[in-house]
Every structure is written in structure tokens, then in C-alpha cells.
Amino acid sequence: MRNEKLVLVLSLFLIFVGFTAILFGYWEALQPKTGPVGNGATLPTFLQILPSILAIVTGILNLAHIVYRRRKAYFNNKDNQENKDQNPS
């Protein structure tokens, strides 16, 4: 139970961090720069965004997996409880 809660919290954290990193990357790229830094916006490339995308995908997959495990455990307990109620021995 504790392990499942930890995985749930970490998967939500990964999703949040991934989206935050992507948003910050685009925000930073669109800030006006003056002087010899350069002209115009240089948006992040795919390879720069890839770690954030992988963090989001990993978080979503872990979230789906933990929800599946929790639902499976809930319905198994529910079925076992119904069987005990029908066959008290």
C-alpha cells in the first residue's frame, strides 16, 4: 500500500516536472534578448525537449499501471468478500 502511494505521488510529480520544464523552455526562448546574445527566438529543439517528454510519458505509464493495480486489488477484495458472505464456513 505504501509503495503504491509512493509510485502514485512520483508519477504525478514526473508529469508535473515534465510539463513545467517544457513550459519554462519555451518561456525562456521567447524572452527578448538584447546585445550580442542574438536576434529572435530560438525555440527548443526536439532533442532538448525529449527528456521532458520521456518524463511525462513515464509518469503517465506509471500512473496507468498503478490505477490498474489498485482497481484489480479492489475488485478482487470485493469478489472475495461476496464469496465469504455466500459461503460462511
Side-chain angles (χ1 to χ4, degrees):
M1 187 70 152
R2 279 164 110 181
N3 189 20
E4 291 176 350
K5 288 181 183 178
L6 179 65
V7 171
L8 180 68
V9 169
L10 289 177
S11 64
L12 291 174
F13 179 74
L14 273 176
I15 294 169
F16 176 74
V17 166
F19 278 121
T20 304
I22 289 173
L23 289 175
F24 178 75
Y26 277 103
W27 176 79
E28 180 69 24
L30 295 176
Q31 293 300 311
K33 295 172 179 61
T34 59
V37 175
N39 303 2
T42 55
L43 296 178
T45 63
F46 176 73
L47 290 177
Q48 291 172 332
I49 297 175
L50 186 63
S52 299
I53 292 173
L54 291 177
I56 293 169
V57 169
T58 303
I60 290 172
L61 290 176
N62 281 332
L63 186 64
H65 179 70
I66 203 68
V67 167
Y68 169 76
R69 285 181 55 187
R70 295 286 299 239
R71 287 179 55 90
K72 184 178 174 183
Y74 173 76
F75 286 118
N76 282 344
N77 288 339
K78 190 176 178 183
D79 290 341
N80 290 340
Q81 189 69 6
E82 287 176 1
N83 289 339
K84 286 181 184 177
D85 291 342
Q86 291 175 356
N87 300 328
S89 39

